[in-house]
Amino acid sequence: MRIGILTSGGDCPGINATIRGVCKTAISHYGMEVFGIHSGFRGLLDDEIEPLTESSLTGLLNMGGTILGTSREKPFKKRVTDSEDKPARMLRNINKYGLDCIVCIGGNGTQKTAAKLAAAGVNVVTVPKTIDNDVWGTDISFGFDSAVSIATDAIDRLHSTASSHQRVMVIEVMGHKAGWIALYSGMAGGGDIILLPELPFDIHRIGDTIISRLKKGKPYSIVVVAEGIPTLNGKKAAQYIAEEIEYETGFETRETVLGYIQRGGSPTAFDRNLATRMGGHATELAAAGMFGRMVSLRGDEITSVPLEEVAGKLKVVTEDHDLIIQGKRMGVCFG
């Protein structure tokens, strides 16, 4: 059997560990041939495809980024400037290399494109990849634990600064539509106020919370915000919340935007193992002819779900999440 593998969308800790899991299982256990497709779906369009061997996989387990490169190419999105049918061009290159299956590693956009590729008759298996943890159909995606660990470390460091200067510190973490990183890092880092895109907030209530903390002898506060919370006049989340808090309370407030640091560097041990398990299961699905499926973690079990059930859906935080319930019981303000 001959399989191709590509990575698409944003970079994320654990991609290389997943590539390693897929390819080592394919080569060592199943005796398959593996071809690396560079720059995501663009590589399928531009014939940027080369064989991968065991020696190609050395040192990948703890390496950040992706050795195959990535892009946000959407080949099924028709543009006026397109001179050729992109899906047809991809199919020609798949046939040219005799690829029996394409393994696609990526987030929501990748799952949607892969589902369309499967509908076009291509044998596809996918692995969910996102630091945002918003891919529907899996409890956790690799990359999430690494991002939460980085964000939590940053929050830990802000505690000492906030305490020393008796300030309010606002830290902005990633998450446009889903607030998983803000929730998990905010709770792990002892955030006093945590704001998520999914939950409405009242800036007056936030101000009251900070003033109430001061009256209780707590002269500083840590506010964790997801980048996707609603703001006015196009302001960044941390800037908007910091300005509003200063206006509401008169307290000196500073903001920190963590940014792309959350996506870079080595994956945590948890993500390395999750990526290895997911990559291996993707190869098992291909070997068994179980195409059109996405690898999934449910509880402690690695399984899979039909790709058409995943495409176009988003996994978001809900108000009944146990971390939110427990946080509220402990006095954490969620807006």
Side-chain angles (χ1 to χ4, degrees):
M1 192 173 187
R2 186 177 280 196
I3 65 172
I5 181 169
L6 63 81
T7 61
S8 183
D11 66 303
C12 158
I15 298 177
N16 282 324
T18 308
I19 294 170
R20 176 179 178 269
V22 170
C23 297
K24 274 185 170 278
T25 307
I27 296 168
S28 301
H29 187 68
Y30 289 106
M32 296 176 178
E33 288 183 82
V34 182
F35 286 76
I37 301 162
H38 292 275
S39 303
F41 293 103
R42 190 189 299 159
L44 268 183
L45 290 168
D46 298 340
D47 196 0
E48 296 177 9
I49 300 169
E50 65 174 356
L52 293 178
T53 63
E54 282 208 72
S55 62
S56 311
L57 310 172
T58 303
L60 292 191
L61 187 59
N62 65 340
M63 187 188 296
T66 164
I67 59 162
L68 294 175
T70 186
S71 71
R72 296 190 185 275
E73 173 67 46
K74 295 179 173 63
F76 289 92
K77 189 173 183 180
K78 186 72 175 173
R79 295 179 178 87
V80 178
T81 54
D82 291 342
S83 58
E84 188 183 356
D85 184 349
K86 287 184 176 181
R89 206 160 98 205
M90 285 196 302
L91 290 172
R92 278 204 304 274
N93 284 325
I94 290 169
N95 292 329
K96 174 182 174 180
Y97 288 88
L99 301 178
D100 300 301
C101 176
I102 305 294
V103 178
C104 304
I105 303 169
N108 288 298
T110 301
Q111 304 305 324
K112 191 181 290 187
T113 300
K116 291 178 180 178
L117 204 56
V122 177
N123 294 332
V124 174
V125 171
T126 71
V127 182
K129 168 231 53 145
T130 172
I131 66 165
D132 291 333
N133 202 39
D134 59 356
V135 174
W136 188 92
T138 184
D139 290 351
I140 301 175
S141 303
F142 73 82
F144 175 63
D145 185 71
S146 300
V148 168
S149 296
I150 292 163
T152 302
D153 181 65
I155 295 167
D156 288 346
R157 292 170 187 274
L158 286 177
H159 272 278
S160 58
T161 297
S163 174
S164 299
H165 294 274
Q166 298 189 356
R167 287 175 178 159
V168 177
M169 300 295 291
V170 180
I171 180 167
E172 178 185 314
V173 299
M174 283 184 164
H176 280 294
K177 295 179 180 176
W180 294 106
I181 295 176
L183 174 61
Y184 273 68
S185 66
M187 288 297 293
D192 304 301
I193 297 164
I194 302 171
L195 304 180
L196 316 176
E198 297 92 332
L199 304 181
F201 64 88
D202 182 340
I203 200 67
H204 303 300
R205 186 159 179 259
I206 292 169
D208 290 344
T209 298
I210 292 168
I211 292 169
S212 173
R213 283 176 52 77
L214 180 66
K215 289 177 179 177
K216 292 176 183 176
K218 299 173 181 177
Y220 78 94
S221 296
I222 300 292
V223 183
V224 182
V225 303
E227 63 185 336
I229 65 166
T231 64
L232 295 177
N233 304 319
K235 289 182 179 178
K236 296 286 188 181
Q239 178 193 2
Y240 172 73
I241 293 298
E243 288 176 357
E244 291 295 318
I245 286 173
E246 276 207 348
Y247 179 79
E248 286 288 323
T249 66
F251 295 163
E252 190 175 12
T253 306
R254 295 288 182 270
E255 76 262 17
T256 297
V257 179
L258 205 51
Y260 289 104
I261 289 171
Q262 295 159 90
R263 281 199 348 207
S266 298
T268 59
F270 177 88
D271 275 342
R272 294 179 200 187
N273 288 328
L274 178 58
T276 298
R277 294 170 69 198
M278 284 187 156
H281 193 72
T283 306
E284 289 176 35
L285 290 174
M290 296 177 66
F291 305 119
R293 301 187 71 83
M294 183 190 80
V295 177
S296 167
L297 177 70
R298 291 294 175 91
D300 291 327
E301 183 187 2
I302 300 291
T303 180
S304 66
V305 294
L307 200 49
E308 66 266 18
E309 291 183 12
V310 177
K313 293 182 182 177
L314 200 67
K315 186 181 75 179
V316 296
V317 181
T318 55
E319 201 164 1
D320 60 353
H321 191 282
D322 58 354
L323 262 184
I324 292 179
I325 293 170
Q326 181 59 24
K328 287 180 177 178
R329 287 171 177 166
M330 296 166 63
V332 178
C333 173
F334 287 92

